[in-house]
């Protein structure tokens, strides 16, 4: 039976449809960008219609148009002496509340659409942290897989030759993302420092010896679990004893699993683009140490975990068919499909926290919301990474370094505050259920939109 809509709901739907039609026309073929904007606009449109000043100022149109996009060629030489050419971008989306801030992604699937969706979401995520950071994102279609460290170094150095003139500690501060970790940030920072002859914190995620912050490596995964703990504590529950399904085996997944173990939960899966491991006994700290060495040092495949510990390996599969209390998609966008949402809900999953950016298809999100489970969207759930990047910037500016406890305590406080903002804007009047998607989008929107209004027509 189709749901009856009130006249107000119909008006919102019509406004969203008209807005999206224009956005699709202005940005053809950018399906990831359309998806991120649609999810956002659906939740903020009722508020925009109630507050004519936003519509009069065309805030949504302005907010969905990046300030600028820099596109450039990156040429480098491989180990066999072949000349290689890649394309790179920096999307400087919105600097209304602070300098552009956001990661760099190296992956063959990187397109302008992917970087625009990431840059767009970054604006609101960064606003939620309470730190003065605008939104940006960048990257390249360069595929780091199978490349030697020397090749990675040459690519990073070549990329920075162009990028350095567009970034700066008060302008735009890149960091890591898929395919960009400590090694890549080090190569890029080394080159930046050479080109500029200045030692400033223009990149975050740096090594501890040269301006990096304690806890930055762990921050995204830890923060996702802290946010989940906040949602559960709000209901008088906790993650302790919960069976958890995690996807990915990179930076975010690894440290989400680590924190889950520390808090007494039972993570049972990890994955990579080849498939998923299912360890019914639970991934322990010792087994996770193997994963860290496998992924961070040997750069091997997760299937080796199954061989080493004699557990199930689901080749070519994501882990969403595994029964669980909580799911943590921590790999990439659209890795959790509508049918996966059905499977999770059917198996009794009550919590989904997005460690990755936009890992759930829009239909999957709608199903989680309709089922009224605890659904933590990426903007809120994975904001811990960029939050500690912001703390790294503060430490660099002050020329000091805080202790692990100090940074972790601040991360705790920021995730708690993001949860409170979500409750404020996403609380449901009738039954106490919290729509965290609405909450996160609204809290981010109000902050960025009000700054834009204050600047006048810019
Ligand atoms: P990593 O490169 O460290 O790890 C990525 C993981 O996801 C790997 O296991 C990789 O497998 C898997 N993966 C990547 N692309 C695909 C794909 N197309 N299909 C299947 N698996 C894939 O990246 P991060 O852990 O840093 O990032 C993971 C997610 O978290 C991304 O969405 C990122 O935007 C988001 N994020 C990251 C933050 C950070 O601080 N690093 C902060 C906030 C969000 P394989 O090695 O086989 O490719
Ligand atoms: O998506 C993200 O928030 C990140 N990749 C981290 C960005 C940052 O600037 O630390």
């Amino acid at each position: 039976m189709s749901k009856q809509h009130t006249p107000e709901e119909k008006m919102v739907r019509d406004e969203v449809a008209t807005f999206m039609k224009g956005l699709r026309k202005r940005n053809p073929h950018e399906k990831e960008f359309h998806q991120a904007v649609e999810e956002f606009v659906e939740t903020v449109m009722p508020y925009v219609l109630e507050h004519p000043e936003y519509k009069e100022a065309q805030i949504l149109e302005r907010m969905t148009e990046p300030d600028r996009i820099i596109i450039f060629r990156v040429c480098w030489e491989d180990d066999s002496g072949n000349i290689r050419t890649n394309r790179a971008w920096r999307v400087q989306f919105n600097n209304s509340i602070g300098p552009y801030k956001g990661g760099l992604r190296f992956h063959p699937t990187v397109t302008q659409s992917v970087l625009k969706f990431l840059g767009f979401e970054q604006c609101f995520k960064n606003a939620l942290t309470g730190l003065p950071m605008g939104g940006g994102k960048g990257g390249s279609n360069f595929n780091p897989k199978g490349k030697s460290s020397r090749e990675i170094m040459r690519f990073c150095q070549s990329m920075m030759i162009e990028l350095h003139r567009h970034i700066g500690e008060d302008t735009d501060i890149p960091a890591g993302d898929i395919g960009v970790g400590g090694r890549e940030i080090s190569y890029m920072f080394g080159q930046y420092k050479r080109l500029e002859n200045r030692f400033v914190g223009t990149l975050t995620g740096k090594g501890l010896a040269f301006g990096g912050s304690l806890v930055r490596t762990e921050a995204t995964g830890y923060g996702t679990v802290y946010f989940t703990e906040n949602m559960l504590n709000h209901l008088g529950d906790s993650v302790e004893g919960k069976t958890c399904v995690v996807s990915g085996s990179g930076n975010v997944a690894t440290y989400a699993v680590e924190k889950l173990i520390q808090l007494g939960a039972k993570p049972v899966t990890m994955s990579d683009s080849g498939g998923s491991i299912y360890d019914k006994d639970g991934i322990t700290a010792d087994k996770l140490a193997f994963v860290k060495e496998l992924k961070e040092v040997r750069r091997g495949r997760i299937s080796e975990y199954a061989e080493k510990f004699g557990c199930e390996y689901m080749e070519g599969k994501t882990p969403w068919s595994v029964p669980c209390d909580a799911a943590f998609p921590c790999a990439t966008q659209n890795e959790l499909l509508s049918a996966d949402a059905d499977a999770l809900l059917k198996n009794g999953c009550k919590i989904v926290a997005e460690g990755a950016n936009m890992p759930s298809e829009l239909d999957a999100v709608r199903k989680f919301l309709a089922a009224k489970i605890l659904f933590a969207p990426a903007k809120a759930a994975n904001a811990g990474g960029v939050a500690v990047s912001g703390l790294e910037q503060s430490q660099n500016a002050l020329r000091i370094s805080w202790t692990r406890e100090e940074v972790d305590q601040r991360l705790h406080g920021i995730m708690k505050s993001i949860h409170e903002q979500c409750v404020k804007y996403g609380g449901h009047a009738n039954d106490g259920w919290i729509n965290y998607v609405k909450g996160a989008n609204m809290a981010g929107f109000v902050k960025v939109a009000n700054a834009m209004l204050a600047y006048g027509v810019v």
Side-chain angles (χ1 to χ4, degrees):
M1 205 179 74
S2 75
K3 193 173 164 262
Q4 292 297 310
H5 293 284
T6 63
E8 288 76 19
E9 282 170 342
K10 189 171 174 312
M11 193 161 89
V12 169
R13 277 164 58 113
D14 290 348
E15 285 285 339
V16 170
T18 307
F19 180 82
M20 286 307 302
K21 197 172 161 208
L23 184 107
R24 287 196 184 93
K25 200 169 166 201
R26 290 191 297 279
N27 306 276
H29 317 302
E30 296 188 343
K31 63 180 171 39
E32 293 85 1
F33 181 54
H34 303 163
Q35 181 184 341
V37 173
E38 186 166 4
E39 184 231 74
F40 182 79
V41 170
E42 272 180 3
T43 56
V44 303
M45 191 60 89
Y47 185 81
V48 170
L49 294 179
E50 280 165 26
H51 296 81
E53 64 272 26
Y54 294 122
K55 200 158 159 52
E56 278 158 23
Q58 297 273 297
I59 286 292
L60 284 175
E61 284 77 3
R62 286 158 60 185
M63 240 178 202
T64 49
E65 196 63 44
D67 288 352
R68 70 186 66 76
I69 302 177
I70 298 131
I71 310 178
F72 53 100
R73 179 181 66 232
V74 181
C75 240
W76 56 282
E77 196 174 345
D78 71 20
D79 288 345
S80 314
N82 301 310
I83 307 298
R84 305 283 198 105
T85 307
N86 286 96
R87 186 176 300 168
W89 293 258
R90 185 70 184 166
V91 179
Q92 297 184 331
F93 218 107
N94 190 306
N95 68 353
S96 296
I97 64 166
Y100 307 109
K101 177 85 195 90
L104 294 170
R105 177 178 292 191
F106 294 170
H107 197 273
T109 58
V110 164
T111 60
Q112 182 162 302
S113 169
V114 168
L115 297 177
K116 279 173 72 176
F117 112 67
L118 289 162
F120 177 72
E121 295 208 331
Q122 197 82 46
C123 300
F124 309 104
K125 181 198 305 193
N126 292 2
L128 289 171
T129 66
L131 300 173
M133 301 184 289
K137 197 86 189 187
S140 172
N141 57 6
F142 172 71
N143 184 0
K145 224 168 269 169
K147 303 285 189 298
S148 71
S149 277
R150 281 301 162 114
E151 289 176 324
I152 303 275
M153 178 189 80
R154 287 195 291 272
F155 177 81
C156 289
Q157 292 181 339
S158 182
M159 172 142 175
M160 192 47 82
I161 285 179
E162 175 62 33
L163 190 61
H164 86 102
R165 68 184 97 239
H166 305 289
I167 61 177
E169 72 276 28
D170 294 323
T171 316
D172 183 355
I173 305 94
D177 194 80
I178 291 177
V180 179
R183 177 181 58 172
E184 292 74 21
I185 293 291
S186 303
Y187 289 145
M188 285 190 277
F189 183 70
Q191 183 76 335
Y192 179 81
K193 183 174 70 54
R194 254 170 109 193
L195 290 163
E196 295 264 323
N197 192 23
R198 291 185 316 129
F199 195 111
V200 286
T202 297
L203 289 134
T204 60
K206 298 183 291 298
L208 294 177
F210 46 93
S213 174
L214 286 159
V215 196
R216 175 61 189 91
T217 305
E218 299 89 340
T220 312
Y222 278 17
T224 303
V225 178
Y226 292 161
F227 191 86
T228 307
E229 192 69 340
N230 271 286
M231 293 197 296
L232 284 161
N233 288 171
H234 191 71
L235 302 176
D237 199 353
S238 77
V239 296
E240 193 181 347
K242 302 260 184 304
T243 298
C244 301
V245 161
V246 180
S247 67
S249 48
N251 172 268
V252 180
T254 299
Y255 293 96
V257 168
E258 181 162 285
K259 189 50 74 179
L260 286 170
I261 297 168
Q262 287 171 6
L263 295 182
K266 186 182 174 189
V268 292
T269 67
M270 291 184 86
S271 69
D272 60 23
S273 54
S276 307
I277 59 106
Y278 177 22
D279 187 342
K280 288 192 175 69
D281 299 332
I283 301 166
T284 58
D286 286 348
K287 291 172 178 174
L288 189 65
F290 171 83
V291 175
K292 285 187 192 172
E293 199 269 335
L294 172 71
K295 288 290 175 181
E296 290 168 15
V297 184
R298 286 194 287 129
R299 300 180 193 272
R301 310 309 298 156
I302 199 69
S303 56
E304 284 187 42
Y305 179 106
E307 285 158 26
K308 167 104 179 154
F309 299 112
C311 75
E312 190 181 334
Y313 178 60
M314 307 188 291
E315 190 166 356
K317 293 218 162 60
T318 51
W320 316 124
S321 60
V322 171
C324 64
D325 302 305
F328 295 85
C330 296
T332 192
Q333 68 271 7
N334 292 325
E335 56 164 319
L336 198 163
L337 309 178
S338 184
D340 298 322
D342 293 333
L344 284 165
L345 292 169
K346 185 165 151 276
N347 283 334
C349 175
K350 292 275 184 299
I351 305 146
V352 176
E354 295 188 325
N357 285 310
M358 203 168 77
S360 315
E361 277 193 333
L362 197 44
D363 264 356
V365 175
R366 289 181 179 136
K367 283 177 180 172
F368 292 137
L369 298 182
K372 297 200 167 184
I373 64 165
L374 292 181
F375 177 74
K379 286 183 201 82
N382 73 32
V386 74
V388 174
S389 276
L391 300 179
E392 182 173 328
Q393 289 177 256
S394 305
Q395 293 169 79
N396 292 163
L398 294 166
R399 300 190 193 285
I400 55 166
S401 32
W402 293 325
T403 62
R404 173 169 285 273
E405 291 67 33
E406 212 165 343
V407 179
D408 196 38
Q409 203 173 13
R410 285 178 198 260
L411 173 61
H412 264 290
I414 290 170
M415 298 317 291
K416 186 162 185 281
S417 147
I418 296 175
H419 183 264
E420 282 162 6
Q421 294 173 68
C422 290
V423 172
K424 177 177 168 196
Y425 286 104
H428 196 281
N430 304 327
D431 56 7
W433 173 72
I434 294 152
N435 182 339
Y436 287 95
V437 176
K438 182 176 167 204
N441 286 344
M442 275 298 305
F445 170 81
V446 168
K447 190 160 179 189
V448 177
N450 288 350
M452 290 176 77
L453 278 185
Y455 295 134
V457 181
V458 286

